[in-house]
Amino acid sequence: MPLKVHRVGMIRPLKAVLVMAINKADIRVLVKRRLGLAIENETHDDLIGLYIDAVEEGIRNFIHDREVPDGLKQTWAAMAASALFTEQLAVLFPPPDPVEAFETQIGDTTVKPIKPVINTAPPGPSLAAIESVMFDYKSSLIAYRKMRW
């Protein structure tokens, strides 16, 4: 980069380096595409946003930087989609309503159907899911890791 010498003798670069922050709306669109959700459907945007923020924090802590580099845009979206799919599958893609069963009576024994128990994860990312995703994508993140003094 060409340098310019000022009267005082200070040397300054002619062009400033601009660091562009990744727009989280772009990450949300990429996550929705990876999961096969309709982009215009905003039903799960808050939940997706929680996972995007949690993965962003994990990435920033791992690479020791204030911003996620632009080169990790696809990795960030893949990590958030993976964590979402792992924990919130029943929320994102609810199972169809079960076929209603009827009471059955054989002799003096009556059998009543029970309602299925659906385990849903808490409405936010768990530390275990984020750590698992960080481990899975560690090889992609190492290239952007900075030394910490």
Side-chain angles (χ1 to χ4, degrees):
M1 183 175 347
L3 299 175
K4 182 177 181 181
V5 179
H6 294 276
R7 277 187 254 147
V8 186
M10 295 179 59
I11 299 175
R12 294 186 185 171
L14 287 176
K15 296 180 181 177
V17 178
L18 295 176
V19 177
M20 299 295 290
I22 298 173
N23 188 356
K24 289 185 183 180
D26 294 341
I27 300 297
R28 184 180 301 114
V29 169
L30 290 172
V31 169
K32 284 183 174 184
R33 284 185 181 161
R34 286 182 173 273
L35 293 173
L37 298 172
I39 295 171
E40 60 276 351
N41 187 355
E42 297 177 358
T43 307
H44 303 295
D45 280 0
D46 291 337
L47 183 63
I48 293 171
L50 288 173
Y51 278 85
I52 289 172
D53 292 341
V55 169
E56 176 190 20
E57 183 179 347
I59 291 172
R60 287 188 299 113
N61 288 337
F62 185 82
I63 65 171
H64 308 299
D65 204 348
R66 288 187 209 136
E67 297 290 329
V68 177
D70 194 41
L72 289 176
K73 185 176 183 178
Q74 293 292 330
T75 305
W76 183 5
M79 291 170 72
S82 178
L84 258 165
F85 188 78
T86 301
E87 283 195 330
Q88 304 293 341
L89 184 63
V91 174
L92 295 173
F93 306 105
D97 292 332
V99 177
E100 189 173 323
F102 299 100
E103 191 175 294
T104 306
Q105 185 173 11
I106 301 173
D108 61 345
T109 304
T110 303
V111 178
K112 295 181 183 178
I114 60 170
K115 299 251 183 206
V117 178
I118 299 173
N119 292 333
T120 57
S126 70
L127 184 61
I130 300 302
E131 285 180 356
S132 173
V133 169
M134 294 298 295
F135 181 77
D136 292 344
Y137 287 88
K138 192 174 188 177
S139 61
S140 298
L141 299 175
I142 285 178
Y144 292 90
R145 193 167 193 183
K146 295 182 178 181
M147 293 297 293
R148 189 177 220 176
W149 299 98

